[in-house]
Amino acid sequence: MRPRPFGMTASLAAFGLLGSLVTACGSSESDATTLRLVVPEYGTSPATSSKAYWDKLTTAFTAAHPGNKVEVTLYPWADVDREVTRMVEADDAPDVALMGAYSDFAAQGNLYPADEVLSVRAEANFLRPLADAGSVGGSLYGLPFVASSRLLFYNEELFDKAGAKPPQTWSELKEAAEALKKEGVRYPYALPLGPEEAHAEALIWELSNGGGYTDDSGGYNIASEQNTQTFRWLKENLVEPGLVGPVAPASLNRQDAFDAFLRGDVGMLNGYPSLLHEAREKGMKVGTLPMPVSDSLGDQETPPAAGVADWMMAFRHDGNRELVTEFLNFVYEDKNLNEFAGRYHLLPSTVSATEASEYASDDHSADQFLAALRSAQLYPVDEPSWLEISNTIKRNIGKAVAPSADPKAVLEQIAQQAKEATQQ
């Protein structure tokens, strides 16, 4: 997801990787069967480019399936959704694509359901929250590839210096932020509600108060009483007392918050596995724990963590089903999925790959992320209007905690736009 969800994007034009790589084995050009694959770039430099992974995987695939060929096109995350949409509109869709949304293509009848392109075992192997999020009308169209859950990170050295304790509730989080501020911490709690990924930070807080973007029936419920209470609490208890740092939340992007955390300027923020890896590479002592819950929830329930996934999808073309089936079942073998997930410190999307993951077995925090993912709540990506609505949330949700704002009015305005989008 991503939402972007993982934030490990780069402009490929900057290091000359935008374009196609072709892998062929065992046949001439004239009799080869070609599978066209479009994928996003997860790397941030030539050394970490996803090209290396797809080169290795497609070479292994064509060696095991002589006579076939795979053509891979890499795009930056900022472009991949738009480029695939352009291809579909031009009646030139790839055979397989990996991106952040799938449901609009499913609604148009362009995708194979999983039961037509995956083995029974492979289809049943996806972690349940991911499979649910990838399903429309009871059929799985968005095949989860890699995923991430979110935990609260805290800088242990800053906490020790401030005499703060890891928070379990919102009031304890506020107390810790106050203690950190007294010690001169620049961002006691970093609240990134800027347009890069505000919809993720907002969902994390909403879930911790029993809210979220949708109600029990799956319909949008953005301006619910729980969500209104959440943003009012944030405004009155963190923003107005100056506990979120020198940048207004509506202007603070996630990557800027992460960079500040890695500099040692942040006491607490919500993060995902790759950030934890970067912090530990720098020698930082970082604690992780589930997002604190609102005091009104107390011990009543344990709300789900926020989860994000990226989606593989198979486009319908005459005569391509057999090759797509062979390729997808190969991609979702444990060793292949875990190699990609481990390369970018993400979480594999299947039960068996999760159990086989060396990343999880070597790191208690990784196990925390995996445990959170098993019961996580994801964005409503099965709703075709989600892409438009998530953009509206990203641009506007930060206004709910502005000094002169009425959180309820801001949420109601977003909710109205969501209603109009679903009626189109």
Side-chain angles (χ1 to χ4, degrees):
M1 348 181 261
R2 43 4 281 355
R4 280 296 306 117
F6 307 123
M8 296 184 295
T9 64
S11 173
L12 298 181
F15 49 89
L17 290 173
L18 185 58
S20 299
L21 59 98
V22 179
T23 304
C25 179
S27 65
S28 66
E29 182 74 16
S30 59
D31 63 4
T33 301
T34 301
L35 182 142
R36 293 171 57 213
L37 172 67
V38 174
V39 294
E41 174 59 70
Y42 285 73
T44 56
S45 70
T48 61
S49 172
S50 303
K51 180 181 184 297
Y53 172 83
W54 294 111
D55 255 335
K56 180 179 179 181
L57 182 132
T58 55
T59 297
F61 175 76
T62 53
H65 300 82
N68 295 313
K69 177 174 128 178
V70 180
E71 178 184 287
V72 184
T73 302
L74 284 160
Y75 287 107
W77 263 115
D79 299 337
V80 66
D81 287 14
R82 181 179 66 252
E83 289 298 323
V84 174
T85 298
R86 178 187 59 78
M87 293 177 192
V88 172
E89 291 174 347
D91 197 26
D92 188 34
D95 296 290
V96 178
L98 173 63
M99 50 191 283
Y102 71 88
S103 56
D104 47 350
F105 302 129
Q108 296 162 13
N110 291 322
L111 302 181
Y112 287 111
D115 61 7
E116 293 187 28
V117 291
L118 286 180
S119 68
V120 173
R121 179 190 178 280
E123 183 182 0
N125 197 23
F126 292 114
L127 294 168
R128 178 47 49 194
L130 304 183
D132 289 344
S135 297
V136 176
S139 294
L140 181 64
Y141 290 97
L143 312 180
F145 184 59
V146 286
S148 174
S149 57
R150 302 296 172 91
L151 295 173
L152 184 75
F153 288 23
Y154 61 96
N155 184 313
E156 292 183 348
E157 292 185 3
L158 295 180
F159 262 61
D160 289 344
K161 184 177 179 181
K165 65 176 183 179
Q168 303 296 318
T169 64
W170 285 4
S171 61
E172 291 178 358
L173 185 148
K174 180 183 178 181
E175 291 172 4
E178 290 171 337
L180 291 162
K181 183 180 180 181
K182 289 179 181 178
E183 287 296 324
V185 175
R186 189 169 171 80
Y187 295 85
Y189 177 86
L191 183 64
L193 293 176
E196 181 183 358
E197 206 190 36
H199 61 316
E201 182 72 13
L203 179 61
I204 292 166
W205 280 93
E206 290 168 356
L207 291 173
S208 67
N209 192 33
Y213 289 133
T214 58
D215 56 25
D216 291 340
S217 66
Y220 287 112
N221 197 26
I222 295 170
S224 68
E225 182 59 29
Q226 294 102 315
N227 292 348
T228 300
Q229 291 172 355
T230 296
F231 283 92
R232 185 171 291 122
W233 189 92
L234 284 170
K235 179 175 183 288
E236 295 175 355
N237 291 274
L238 293 186
V239 179
E240 291 178 351
L243 300 177
V244 296
V247 180
S251 299
L252 182 64
N253 280 321
R254 183 218 49 217
Q255 190 58 53
D256 294 331
F258 283 9
D259 291 344
F261 183 77
L262 293 173
R263 292 194 303 268
D265 290 337
V266 175
M268 296 174 281
L269 87 173
N270 284 300
Y272 46 65
S274 60
L275 176 63
L276 184 61
H277 175 77
E278 288 184 74
R280 290 179 173 170
E281 285 280 294
K282 290 175 66 69
M284 295 177 65
K285 295 180 179 179
V286 180
T288 58
L289 69 160
M291 177 64 189
V293 300
S294 71
D295 294 83
S296 60
L297 281 186
D299 297 329
Q300 298 174 29
E301 58 182 294
T302 301
V308 180
D310 294 333
W311 309 98
M312 193 82 77
M313 61 209 73
F315 286 89
R316 290 184 179 275
H317 293 296
D318 290 342
N320 77 335
R321 180 179 164 187
E322 182 177 352
L323 180 56
V324 166
T325 297
E326 291 175 345
F327 180 72
L328 287 176
N329 281 284
F330 185 78
V331 166
Y332 282 99
E333 290 180 9
D334 290 350
K335 65 179 185 299
N336 295 327
L337 192 57
N338 270 332
E339 183 174 343
F340 190 92
R343 179 180 179 87
Y344 297 107
H345 306 286
L346 299 171
L347 306 177
S349 60
T350 66
V351 175
S352 59
T354 296
E355 292 173 347
S357 172
E358 294 180 4
Y359 172 54
S361 62
D362 291 344
D363 189 329
H364 171 68
S365 294
D367 187 61
Q368 280 187 293
F369 284 109
L370 289 167
L373 184 63
R374 292 187 184 102
S375 59
Q377 182 168 318
L378 282 75
Y379 304 131
V381 290
D382 57 337
E383 169 55 58
S385 62
W386 171 244
L387 189 59
E388 177 181 348
I389 293 168
S390 65
N391 286 330
T392 299
I393 293 170
K394 286 186 283 186
R395 292 193 309 269
N396 295 285
I397 199 74
K399 299 174 184 177
V401 297
S404 60
D406 175 4
K408 184 175 180 62
V410 174
L411 294 180
E412 286 179 341
Q413 184 177 18
I414 296 172
Q416 179 60 35
Q417 292 175 283
K419 181 179 179 181
E420 292 170 359
T422 58
Q423 292 174 344
Q424 292 178 0

